[in-house]
Structures are given as C-alpha cells and as structure tokens.
Amino acid sequence: MESIELTAVERRVWQAYARGRTVDLRPADGAEADSGAQWGPERTVRAEVLRLLLLEGPRETGETPLLRLTGARITGRLDLQYVDVAAPIHLWACYFDEVPDLYGARLRQLNLGRSVLPGLQAIALRVDGSLRMTRCRIRGPVRLGGARISGAVFFDHAELGEAGVRLDEPVLALNRVIIDDDLQADGGLVAHGLVRLEGAVVAGNITLDDAVLSNPGGTALHASTLNAGADLNAARLTASGRVNLRGARIPGQLNLEGARLSNPGGTALRASGVTAGSFWLKDAPPVAGAITLRGAQFDLLHITPESWPSQVRLDGLAYTRLGPHEPAERRLQVLERDTDGYIPYAYEQLTAAYRRGGDAAAARSVQLAKERRHRATLPSYARAWGYLQDVTVGYGFRPTRAAVWLFSLLLIGSVTYAVHHPRALKPDEAPDFDPFFYTLDLLLPIIGFGQEQAYAAEGAYQTLSYALIVTGWTLATTIAAGVTRAISRQ
C-alpha cells in the first residue's frame, strides 16, 4: 500500500475488498465491455493494484475478503504467476488491456463472466472452486492446458478468436485438464479456431449444445482420449472442420443429434476407438465429409441412413442395438460406401442387430447381401458358382426359390412326358408309366421311384431328361451348400 498511490476508483475497490462488497463502475445503462478501450480514469483500475490487493489486501474481523469488481478497464498485465490466492476473484464485465498471466496460480474461484480479454494464460492453473467464462469475448488463445478445476467450468455463450484470423495454436486449449465437475460450453459458444480437449478428464457432463466451432480445412475439435464421467452432449453442434474424438471414453451418451458436421474432402468425424453407452446422430443433415468409426463400441447406435455421408470407415465397429428401425436395404447402402471395400464384420454386426430386434427377415437380407458383396472379390469360376447359388436358393437365405425351380421343372417334365411317353426298356416288366414320378425320378438324384430305370425317352425328349438330371443335381448341390451355410451361422 505504501509503495503505490491509489486513484479514487482504486481506493473504492481496496476498501470494498475486506467486506466482499461489489464495486460496479458501469453506467446506469449497464453497457457491455466491448467498448472498454475508450473508458476513462473513472472506470480504470491498474492490474498491479489488483495483484497487491489479492496478496496484501486488508482484513476485517468477522468478514470474508472477496474481490468483486464490475465494469472496469484493467490496464497493465494482471500477473498472478504461481501466486496462491485465498480470496475468490469476480471480475465481471471487465475490459483487459493485456493478457492476464495465471500460470501455475492457485485460486479459490475465478469468475470473468462477460469480460473482454486479448487472451488468457492459465497453464497449470489450480482452482478450488469453479471457473466461469460465461459470455466472455476473448480475441486470442485461452491456454488452460494441465489445469485442475475442482468445480465446474463454464464457457457458455462465450466467443473465442476472431473470424478470418487463423491462430498458430488452439483458440481454446484444455488438453490434459482435470475438471471434477461439469464442462459447460453450450448455448452458443463460438470458437474461431481449434478447440483442444485432448486427454482431458471431466468427472461430470460435457455440454456443447448449439456450439459453433469453425476451423475450415483444419480441426475444429480435437478431443482424442477424452474421458467423460457421464455424457457428451453436442446437440445441434455446427462444426466446420474435423471433429476428432479418437479413443474417447464416454460411459453415457455421445449426443450429436441435429449436428451439422462439415469437412468436405476430408474426415468430418473421427470417432475410431470410441467407447460410449450410446451414439446419437439423429435428425442431422448429411455429413459433409467422411465418418470414421473403426473399432468404436456402443450399446446403442442411433443414426438415420440419410445422415451418413458418401464415405464411411466402419471396420471393427461394434454395437448391440441399432436405431431407428429401418429396412435392411437402407442400412446396406451405408455398408457399400465403406472406403475399405468389403468388410465382413460390418455385415455380421448389422445382422446381429436385426436379430436382437426380432427382424429375422432383415437379418437374412443382410446375410444375402454379404454373400453377394463377397462374390465380387472371388475369381471368375467361384463367382459363377456364386451366381448359381444366388439364383437358385439365394445362398440358402431364399429356400423358397428352390421349391419354385423344382415345381416349375416338375410341371414342365410331367406335361411333356404325359403327351410323349418314353419307351419302356422291358415292356413285360415295366410298371405303369407315371409322367409325374418319372420326372421326379429325373430331378431327385437320391430318391428313386423305379420310373427312370424302366423307361427311356428318345430324341429331343431324351435331351430334356438329361437337362432335368443335371438341373436336379445342381439344385441338390446348391441347396445342400446353402443349408449348410445357413445352419453354420445359427
């Protein structure tokens, strides 16, 4: 106190501190802090005075000191590096000329709501309570890497960075941060640049509802290996640039309902290796860019077919349930967009989901589509055999086709041989001719009714008998292969 002469405004702040009273320097209209650079001496407080106040400020018996300052222009650098401050700090709707330096500081509580700052240096910051940056306007980077916050962190309605100005570092760096409560950045957080949450640990919910993250051509949100204690809610998120959630652990829901994800020509959403209770991407417009879900695991995957982009990567994606319920044909279109080509595991997962949902017909359709997709990877001779199995019995998933073929051939043979009886080989010993059972003898390679051995067709009718024999053997072989394949999947 003796080494610095206080202005009238600073003396008010000094005197109010001991009793935790608020000094509000705003005019009656309560104007925002955007115009703070034009504020005069009547609203100006030096940063060095605030530092000295927090370190050596007055105390009164029975009172709790608290710095409550609203609507001030703070000149100079607020330097609290490695300082241990016991009093809560509330600098509400203030304008900072320079970047506050809180590197390694330990604070009880920090509230900078509605303030305007050129940036914030707070690496390794420790806050025993909450950190509130609600409705802040911060033009430069916010460095909070390695911070430990015992309460909640609020960036709701804040705006970080400047449109059209690309920084060489994240506009918000929360990498390796530990938050013992929620991280709330909903209600219209706007970030012009990279938001980094790599390796962050948040004990509660992470909320990014209605946030706008803009870093076209780069990464909008980098949250690989993020650990959330509950949910990550980003409903109606707008992200221009890649959203990277690789390896994140979210025991509750990963909610991107109604989100607009855009990174044309690149990956819009990378969620490979993510483990979450559920993943929601319902009612969202088509993603502009690829989606990567390799190795991800969800109990529920809820995404409408229209939301999937033209390129996906789904190898190793595992889920128990799939919603909303859609015809298999609509889901199969997504599997055909996999840039890795034919992925058998993806078909097996879709089949299992339909079976668990009680839609056996859809499950069979998926398995049939899998065989057809696999067929395209085989050599020509194997493809020909595949086509035959497909046409005749649908690889065992369409058994009624075999019945139709057999009935049709049986009808053709029966009518033909009823009109043109074959010649009896031993007229005295031959049984009465029956065109139905004669044709059945030709078609069925195992069962015999004595007609084929007793009669022999001639000319063109003999050629028909050979065709029926070959067709019968072919049908029998493909049916056996299809049935075996179907049983092996049970």
Side-chain angles (χ1 to χ4, degrees), residues 249-325:
R249 297 292 181 268
I250 304 164
Q253 66 176 4
L254 170 57
N255 184 8
L256 293 173
E257 181 177 349
R260 297 179 178 273
L261 307 179
S262 177
N263 190 27
T267 299
L269 174 62
R270 184 185 183 190
S272 53
V274 168
T275 300
S278 60
F279 176 36
W280 293 77
L281 190 59
K282 61 177 292 191
D283 301 327
V287 175
I291 285 184
T292 298
L293 295 176
R294 291 172 177 155
Q297 298 181 37
F298 309 110
D299 177 55
L300 169 64
L301 177 62
H302 196 287
I303 176 171
T304 52
E306 293 82 6
S307 298
W308 289 100
S310 59
Q311 293 184 329
V312 299
R313 303 179 185 94
L314 306 177
D315 190 12
L317 168 63
Y319 49 90
T320 304
R321 295 174 294 144
L322 182 64
H325 185 77

Side-chain angles (χ1 to χ4, degrees), residues 109-443:
Q109 190 176 48
L110 180 61
N111 186 342
L112 299 175
R114 292 185 178 272
S115 293
V116 175
L117 304 91
L120 179 63
Q121 171 68 290
I123 294 174
L125 172 69
R126 297 293 183 268
V127 181
D128 294 334
S130 62
L131 170 61
R132 186 175 292 274
M133 308 290 290
T134 299
R135 296 188 181 275
C136 277
R137 177 68 180 92
I138 307 176
R139 297 186 297 274
V142 176
R143 304 181 183 96
L144 280 163
R148 176 69 184 261
I149 315 297
S150 297
V153 175
F154 300 88
F155 277 93
D156 46 311
H157 299 279
E159 183 174 0
L160 312 177
E162 296 184 275
V165 177
R166 185 177 291 271
L167 300 176
D168 295 330
E169 59 180 302
V171 68
L172 175 59
L174 289 168
N175 50 297
R176 310 299 174 188
V177 70
I178 299 176
I179 301 173
D180 293 337
D181 205 322
D182 295 341
L183 170 59
Q184 296 188 15
D186 57 328
L189 166 71
V190 177
H192 304 287
L194 168 63
V195 173
R196 188 177 182 188
L197 277 164
E198 181 182 10
V201 178
V202 180
N205 294 311
I206 300 172
T207 306
L208 292 166
D209 292 344
D210 300 299
V212 178
L213 310 181
S214 180
N215 194 21
T219 299
L221 175 62
H222 184 69
S224 63
T225 65
L226 167 71
N227 276 276
D231 301 333
L232 194 165
N233 292 308
R236 300 170 302 281
L237 168 73
T238 299
S240 298
R242 181 171 63 172
V243 173
N244 185 2
L245 300 174
R246 179 185 60 83
R249 297 292 181 268
I250 304 164
Q253 66 176 4
L254 170 57
N255 184 8
L256 293 173
E257 181 177 349
R260 297 179 178 273
L261 307 179
S262 177
N263 190 27
T267 299
L269 174 62
R270 184 185 183 190
S272 53
V274 168
T275 300
S278 60
F279 176 36
W280 293 77
L281 190 59
K282 61 177 292 191
D283 301 327
V287 175
I291 285 184
T292 298
L293 295 176
R294 291 172 177 155
Q297 298 181 37
F298 309 110
D299 177 55
L300 169 64
L301 177 62
H302 196 287
I303 176 171
T304 52
E306 293 82 6
S307 298
W308 289 100
S310 59
Q311 293 184 329
V312 299
R313 303 179 185 94
L314 306 177
D315 190 12
L317 168 63
Y319 49 90
T320 304
R321 295 174 294 144
L322 182 64
H325 185 77
E326 295 279 353
E329 292 72 21
R330 285 168 54 78
R331 296 291 184 188
L332 288 167
Q333 294 175 6
V334 177
L335 303 190
E336 294 170 359
R337 304 172 193 172
D338 202 308
T339 58
D340 293 329
Y342 168 59
I343 305 296
Y345 186 76
Y347 287 87
E348 293 299 329
Q349 281 292 297
L350 185 56
T351 299
Y354 275 122
R355 284 176 177 163
R356 281 189 286 266
D359 194 339
R364 290 193 296 271
S365 296
V366 175
Q367 284 294 291
L368 178 57
K370 175 190 173 186
E371 295 296 339
R372 289 171 174 171
R373 188 86 183 273
H374 175 61
R375 183 174 66 208
T377 67
L378 301 175
S380 56
Y381 66 88
R383 288 200 301 271
W385 174 245
Y387 278 116
L388 183 59
Q389 291 188 75
D390 192 357
V391 171
T392 53
V393 293
Y395 287 98
F397 300 105
R398 298 290 185 267
T400 54
R401 289 184 183 179
V404 172
W405 278 101
L406 285 171
F407 179 78
S408 300
L409 294 172
L410 184 59
L411 180 63
I412 292 172
S414 298
V415 172
T416 300
Y417 293 120
V419 176
H420 303 280
H421 285 201
R423 176 179 57 85
L425 297 176
K426 295 180 180 181
D428 296 336
E429 301 176 6
D432 294 338
F433 179 73
D434 189 312
F436 175 82
F437 285 101
Y438 179 74
T439 304
L440 205 58
D441 251 353
L442 296 174
L443 284 172

Side-chain angles (χ1 to χ4, degrees), residues 25 63 78-79 81 105 151 158 166 191 265 274 405 457:
L25 303 178
E63 300 289 346
L78 180 59
D79 187 354
Q81 293 185 70
R166 185 177 291 271
V274 168
W405 278 101

